[in-house]
Every structure is written in C-alpha cells, then in structure tokens.
Amino acid sequence: MKWNRLWLLWVIVIVGWGQAGGGQTIAQSVGRGQTLPGTEPLTIEGDIASQLVAGVDRFLLRELEASIAARQKYWRTDKSSAAAYVDSIEENRRQFAERLGVRDTRASDSEPRYLATVQRSSLLGRGVNYEIHAVTWAAFGDVQARGLLLEPILDSSRTKVRAQVVAIPDCGVLPEQLVGLLPGVEPESQYARKLAESGCRVLVPLLVSRAERLPQLTQREWLYRSAFEMGRGLIAYEVQQVLAAVDWMERERIGRDAGPIGVFGWGEGGLLSLYAGAIDQRITSTGVSGYFDSRQEVWTEPLERNVFGLLERFGDAELAALIAPRALVVEASRAAEVVIPGGRGAPAEIITPPIERVRAEVARAKQLTASLEPSLPLTLIESHSGVGPSGSPEALVAFLEALQVDSPRWDADAAPENLLGEFDPQPRQQALVHELDRHTQMLLRESHYLREANTMNRLDFTSLENYEQSAAKLREFFYEEVIGRIDHEVLPFQPRTRRVQETPEWTAYEVVLDVYPDVMAYGLLLLPRDLAPGERRPVVVCQHGLEGRPQDTIGEAGSQYYAAFAARLAERGFITFAPQNLYIFEDRFRTLQRKANPLKKTLFSVITPQHQQIVDWLQTLDFVDPQRIGFYGLSYGGKTAMRVPALVTDYALSICSADFNEWVDKNASTRNPRSYVNTGEYEIFEFDLGSTFNYAEMAALIAPRPFMVERGHFDGVADDWTVAYEYAKVRHLYAARLKLPERTAIEYFDGPHTIHGQGTFDFLHHHLNWPKR
C-alpha cells in the first residue's frame, strides 16, 4: 500500500508538471508574457496606422529631394561637339516622350483648314499686315486640333513668312483672348498678336479648360484619368496637337521657304512649349513663360500634370538640356495661379515660384550643358522680379532673335479689327473634349489585343518549368515598369510585439517590423490557443480594404464587410496575420501616390516590400510552416491580392474578394457607370495598364500557384458579367494552357461587397493542407 500510494503521488506530480509546463500549448506558453519570444516590447503609443502613413510620407519626400542627384547617372553626355551631344541624349529624349505618353501616330496631313460655314466666314479679324482665321488641323487618330491662324499678308515688300510660331495660351485663356479679339488678356501679354505683327505666321491652339466636368472634378483631370491608364495623358494629347502643327510648319519651311519654327507659351502653354521643345528638334526656339521651376513639388500641381517617372530622369533643367544646343528663353513671370480644392478630384494649386528657385533651376540647366560648344543659348528674362506679366518685350525679342527675326516691331495697344461677331466658345470646347475622350475609349477597346501581344503571348506553355521562367521575366517587368521597385535594401526586422487581446480560441499580438528608414510594417498576429509545441501551421494573411484597419478583420468593427474573417480562420486553426496597408486617411494616403508617381513608384512600391518583410519574418517563426502562407484580401485588399502575390512569390496562394473585375475598363471607361473616372479615388489610376496588365495578366504572374475569386452578385464594384469575362481568361490559363484546373476557382454568392467565407475557406483548407474542424 505504501508503494502504491507513493507511485500514485509520483504520477500526480508528473501529470501536474506536464499540464503546468511541458504540456502547455504555444499560446499558453507565450500568453504569460506581453511579447512574443524573440521580439522586443512594442512601446509605440497612439494611432500606429497614422504613424505608418506619416513615416511613408517622410520617406517619399526624402526620395523626391534626392531625385535630383540620383538622375545624374542618366546624363553622361558627350560634349565634344553639338552633334555628339545630341546623339548622347537621344535615349533620354525617347524616354521622355514615352513616359509622357506621346505614342500615337500623328496625322500625315496636318495642314490647317479654314473653319467656316455657309453663314460664317473663317476670317475673324485683321491686324497690321496679318489676318486671323478660325482653323482646325488633323492631329492624331480622329482628333482635330482647333484654334486661330494669324497669317501674314505677303506683298512685294514681304515675300515670305519670316518665322512660324505655335503660340500656346494657358488652359484658362481662349485663343481669341490671346490675340485681342476678346477681353481677358492685357494687351502687353498678347504675345500671339505681337509675334504676328513682327511678321511671323502664328498658330494658336485651343487647350482643354479647367471647367468642371462633374462637381469638384475638372474636365482636364477627367480626361487625364482614362488616358493615363492607357499610357497617355492630357498633356501628351496637347503636345501632339502642337507637334502636328510643327509637322505642317516643317513642310512649309522646306517646300515654301517659310521661316524657322518656334513655340512660345505661358502657364500651361509654357509647360507644353518646354515639353514640345524637348521632344522635337525641328523647333529652333522655345519660349517658356510663367512655368519654369523646380519640379520637386509637382505632386501639389493639378493632377493632369502627373507624369509617371518624370523625376527619375527629368526636372525642368534636364528638359532644357534636351533642348540644347537650340535656343531656350525662360521668362520668369506671374504664373497662371489656381487653387483646386479637391473633393471628387485631386486637391492642387499652381503658385508663382520664388525667383530664387527659377534662377537655381536655370543655373542647373546651364551646369548640365557646361562646356558644350556652342553653349546652350538659354536666356532668363525676369519680368518684374518674376511676378510681372508674360510676353515682355525682352522675352519676345530674345525668342525672335533665335528665329532670325531682326528688329521685331509691334504696337503694344494695337488691337486687331474685330470680325468675331457673336461667339460662344462652349461648342468648340465640348467638341475637343469629346474627340479626346473618344480617342482614349478607342485605345481602351484595342487594349486587350495589346496585352495579348505584350504579356500573354510572351508566356511559354511548353512545360510548367518553362512557364515559370517566362512568367519570371514578366514579373520583373511588372515590378520595375508598372508597380515601381524601391532600390533600397530593407532593414533588419527588429520585431516589436505586444499582446492586445485574448479569446478562448486565439491570442492576438500587435507586431511592428522595420522595412526602410521611416517605413514600417504593422499588423495583428492571431495564434490559435491549441497550437502545440513543435507544430508548424499554415498562415493566412488577411488584408483589409479602403480606410480599413487590421482590427476590422477580427471583431465587430467593419463586420458588414469583413465578417471577422481573420478571427474565424484562427478559430479553424489557421494562424492569421492582418497587416495595415497604406490606403487610409483619404487625402493623406492619396497624396502618397502623387508623391510616388513622379519617382516611377506607386503605393504598391511600398506595400510590396512591407508584405515581403512580413512573409520573411513569419517564415522565421517556429510555429509557422514557411511553405503554407496564403493571402486573402477584400476590396482594396483584393487589389493587393492581385498585385502583391504576383510579386511576393512566397505567398502560396491568393484569394481576391470583392474586387476582381475587368480592371482596365473600370479605370478607363467613361461609359461604364461603375468606372473610377467619375469618382473621388483619384489615386487609383496606374500608368499604362491598358497595354500591359489587366487582372487576368496579373493572375498569370500568380500562376501556377492557386488563385480564387470571391464575388457577391450585388457587389457594386462591378457587374457579374465583367467579372465573368475577366475570370474566363484566368480559367482558360489554368485549365486549358497549364492543365491545372483544380488550382483556380470562382465563387458567386447572393450578397454585397463582403467576405462570404465559405468556398474561400474550403479553398484555403484544401490548398494550405489544413483539416476542417
């Protein structure tokens, strides 16, 4: 009996020890502390999401400032002669035109046509030795440029056109105002008229105005949005109209001995003059008034000025270097100031830059071309210390001297004889907007075939190994040219954690990881409480949507969208991690996109390495199976599901919920009632997706890993048929080309924009090899 009692006592001690220590689950073991083993305490107070966004903002502002020095590697020029110099910058010129979106073939016959009707003559006015006619000229596609032609009257004393000039107004100025037929421009700034009085042929194009297309959305931004998605932009379209005029003038120069060609503009016209002069070497003299400046704050300017990757190679000084050794006149004058409050469109403003900033940018331009012979004939004219009117006599004289127009003469107050009569500018403006939109919509309709040629047809389906190798090349292109890769080395993880919530099924930890200086990754890690020592489980990374937070994926907040799917999956035994993505705080995150784009970066340039850092850290944890980490995102998290797993190949699968659709159409169509073109998400547009990657092509970068779509019939993101159309291409890829039909699925359910959590949960159990409970 004594030995029996001793044996029983020993058994009790051993069992009790096992329950208290050696037999504990992982969650019970770490639950006694506030941090995960191997991590430092997380001590950040306040709103971590807000601090995350603020840190990325600081990072991007530093990158913008550093871009001036960084672009020097693209400017190793040969200055041994003017011809050698021009040859050495040719790739930069091509890159600039490509990034701007000057891609469409221009019209072969761009000679202006007089615009007249039975009741109305094209002749609108007469000045000193010139006539003013309403004209149109073919630009590109079906687009007709519109404007005024100031044609010199030739006689025995003036037998040829001395020079030919495209005089470009600001977008807030009508051609009729610039020539003095309508009020709105002071006589001293009517440079189109003064150039005509000096014997020049002058063509004045109409620009798209900033009138509202929709409440709080200008028609300039409205046209830019869809064009940007197609690899163009409103500025590119307007440059093309200028260059079409240059095409005609060049034929006149060669065939009829007309004079050399110049471009001169103020405000938006100054921008177009600078860009046209940088692209086209047939332009002998370029005049830029009220625009030349440092572009490090281009993200504050109207959104249609956004050029993807502009600052990687080009500021205004570098564009001046593309004009060299031809003449450039910079007139520091009052800018075409405007404040756009935002709302549906992007908030923006144009200010008159401090004269010191203009001088510094001019000095940079001269430094870039230093030692070039002949040196860049760059003249800076300061109109009343940079705040005076445009079109000053000094600026026009310098501009005309480069065109070999000696002794120019004009009467500052000589208004032309006005034959305009009753005039309504709206029909002309509406026709121009309609044609530009129609051109973009034509590009949209053709874009499927471009993507086939540029992306799908480059995939090798002869074997799975060959497919993955060919997809890797496209993945590199997608990262470098569409998403934008940040070249910095990531920092060590330096993980900081703290326990924030416990339930009977799981324990939640906040986790912060370093990524770049000022850039962190943050999220919630949920560990099932029955996770045993030595056990490795699959992880599902659960991504919130627009304006969401990790906490929305585990509790009541946001339950109408998320159905606590991260918590529900943890209850099924999965480890889950819910990251904080950047798309929160409205304009605060949208301006991150604006700061990133000029650097050839996007929001996903930051989000992708954040996710790579998260996955890399998860793979170091003893209780995580590094081969079984899946991704599941809703809404903007669904956008993430299409982009991040395409690049972060450590994700074993991806599920796109409440977002998958014909994405390019949704971003570029002005007919689709669900299009982003008409909404407040001004950051959503991605450059040139039209010819590169729609959602089917992104899915091709995820393949052959499993991929699933979760779709509610009443989800307002898109219509079922557009989802089905795009998914059919994915199904064909997996089932017909890769012979892996079991690796893709779509689930429709009778519901709205929400996590359904049925077919997708089954998909996760199956492909992450975790048994159902």
Side-chain angles (χ1 to χ4, degrees), residues 201-394:
R201 167 186 285 150
V202 180
L203 193 57
V204 186
L206 172 72
L207 303 188
V208 175
S209 77
R210 288 201 177 94
E212 286 191 340
R213 174 75 184 195
L214 295 167
Q216 300 178 320
L217 178 64
T218 70
Q219 59 187 1
R220 288 187 68 82
E221 182 179 334
W222 182 79
L223 287 168
Y224 152 86
R225 290 178 169 197
S226 53
F228 190 76
E229 197 82 5
M230 293 294 105
R232 275 79 171 173
L234 177 59
I235 290 173
Y237 287 162
E238 291 179 331
V239 167
Q240 287 279 60
Q241 293 173 70
V242 172
L243 296 184
V246 172
D247 293 340
W248 167 63
M249 290 176 173
E250 178 68 2
R251 289 191 293 270
E252 290 284 295
R253 186 187 69 81
I254 294 172
R256 300 192 181 185
D257 198 27
I261 302 167
V263 292
F264 191 100
W266 172 70
E268 215 67 18
L271 178 155
L272 296 174
S273 292
L274 180 64
Y275 285 13
I279 290 171
D280 199 323
Q281 297 181 70
R282 298 172 301 176
I283 297 170
T284 300
S285 182
T286 300
V288 178
S289 179
Y291 176 74
F292 202 84
D293 188 12
S294 167
R295 291 296 147 205
Q296 305 316 109
E297 295 182 3
V298 66
W299 59 273
T300 67
E301 299 174 25
L303 185 58
E304 64 270 14
R305 290 185 174 186
N306 181 46
V307 176
F308 187 65
L310 176 70
L311 296 183
E312 185 185 43
R313 291 185 185 230
F314 309 103
D316 284 6
E318 284 76 18
L319 296 180
L322 288 181
I323 293 173
R326 294 167 290 128
L328 171 62
V329 176
V330 171
E331 183 179 41
S333 66
R334 183 179 59 253
E337 296 182 342
V338 66
V339 174
I340 301 173
R344 194 190 304 255
E349 66 176 346
I350 296 174
I351 64 170
T352 299
I355 189 61
E356 294 79 13
R357 212 161 66 188
V358 180
R359 291 170 182 163
E361 194 69 7
V362 168
R364 273 209 323 114
K366 290 183 176 181
Q367 180 61 37
L368 284 166
T369 56
S371 76
L372 177 63
E373 293 295 339
S375 62
L376 169 64
L378 195 167
T379 305
L380 173 61
I381 303 296
E382 298 182 9
S383 176
H384 295 269
S385 300
V387 296
S390 63
S392 65
E394 296 82 359

Side-chain angles (χ1 to χ4, degrees), residues 381-699:
I381 303 296
E382 298 182 9
S383 176
H384 295 269
S385 300
V387 296
S390 63
S392 65
E394 296 82 359
L396 293 181
V397 167
F399 173 75
L400 288 169
E401 281 181 352
L403 294 173
Q404 301 175 0
V405 176
D406 299 325
S407 304
R409 290 179 296 176
W410 56 79
D411 186 339
D413 298 317
E417 179 187 1
N418 194 329
L419 305 175
L420 187 61
E422 293 185 7
F423 176 67
D424 180 2
Q426 288 307 310
R428 182 180 60 178
Q429 179 77 199
Q430 291 166 358
L432 177 59
V433 170
H434 171 73
E435 289 178 10
L436 292 173
D437 174 49
R438 183 174 63 189
H439 181 77
T440 302
Q441 299 311 298
M442 180 275 293
L443 295 175
L444 174 60
R445 297 282 73 82
E446 293 293 318
S447 65
H448 164 77
Y449 304 102
L450 277 178
R451 292 191 299 275
E452 280 285 303
N454 293 337
T455 306
M456 287 300 198
N457 289 349
R458 297 187 181 185
L459 293 167
D460 185 344
F461 293 96
T462 56
S463 70
L464 194 58
E465 180 182 4
N466 288 344
Y467 177 86
E468 290 183 284
Q469 289 177 355
S470 61
K473 295 177 183 178
L474 287 176
R475 183 176 296 113
E476 187 70 13
F477 177 86
F478 182 57
Y479 207 162
E480 294 289 342
E481 302 299 325
V482 178
I483 297 299
R485 187 195 300 272
I486 293 173
D487 293 330
H488 300 303
E489 292 291 329
V490 295
L491 298 172
F493 302 128
Q494 195 179 341
R496 287 91 76 198
T497 65
R498 65 183 167 213
R499 187 179 53 177
V500 291
Q501 188 174 347
E502 284 187 292
T503 74
E505 292 81 17
W506 45 261
T507 302
Y509 293 86
E510 284 187 314
V511 178
V512 168
L513 308 172
D514 288 342
V515 183
Y516 301 120
D518 277 327
V519 178
M520 62 179 165
Y522 161 62
L524 287 180
L525 177 69
L526 270 60
L527 298 181
R529 292 179 67 83
D530 62 352
L531 184 60
E535 183 183 15
R536 288 183 177 269
R537 290 197 186 180
V539 180
V540 181
V541 174
C542 300
Q543 189 61 67
H544 64 77
L546 180 65
E547 298 296 331
R549 296 174 180 268
Q551 291 77 6
D552 297 338
T553 70
I554 70 169
E556 292 300 318
S559 60
Q560 70 272 32
Y561 305 117
Y562 301 106
F565 74 118
R568 289 169 58 197
L569 287 167
E571 290 163 7
R572 289 172 172 247
F574 292 98
I575 298 168
T576 65
F577 189 91
Q580 176 69 62
N581 268 6
L582 285 175
Y583 36 80
I584 187 171
F585 306 119
E586 299 180 326
D587 282 339
R588 281 183 63 195
F589 91 80
R590 293 192 165 101
T591 55
L592 297 181
Q593 181 85 319
R594 296 220 52 197
K595 292 165 186 171
N597 269 191
L599 299 167
K600 200 180 174 187
K601 303 294 185 288
T602 63
L603 287 175
F604 284 98
S605 300
V606 179
I607 292 171
T608 300
Q610 285 175 318
H611 275 263
Q612 186 69 67
Q613 194 80 325
I614 289 167
V615 171
D616 289 348
W617 177 71
L618 288 171
Q619 290 176 329
T620 69
L621 302 180
D622 292 339
F623 43 81
V624 168
D625 184 338
Q627 304 304 315
R628 292 188 290 164
I629 302 176
F631 188 95
Y632 186 176
L634 172 95
S635 193
Y636 226 122
K639 293 173 183 58
T640 310
M642 299 309 305
R643 292 157 181 79
V644 168
L647 299 173
V648 179
T649 56
D650 295 297
Y651 278 125
L653 61 80
S654 182
I655 299 174
C656 177
S657 177
D659 184 69
F660 189 92
N661 68 101
E662 215 283 35
W663 181 252
V664 171
D665 187 82
K666 182 173 175 63
N667 282 271
S669 173
T670 54
R671 179 65 183 89
N672 183 345
R674 303 188 190 279
S675 173
Y676 280 124
V677 171
N678 301 318
T679 68
E681 287 88 347
Y682 58 81
E683 87 296 342
I684 209 78
F685 308 96
E686 296 160 285
F687 185 66
D688 202 21
L689 280 193
S691 67
T692 55
F693 292 89
N694 205 337
Y695 273 7
E697 288 76 25
M698 294 182 201

Side-chain angles (χ1 to χ4, degrees), residues 176-187:
E176 289 77 9
Q177 293 173 310
L178 193 62
V179 303
L181 294 177
L182 287 176
V185 175
E186 292 298 321

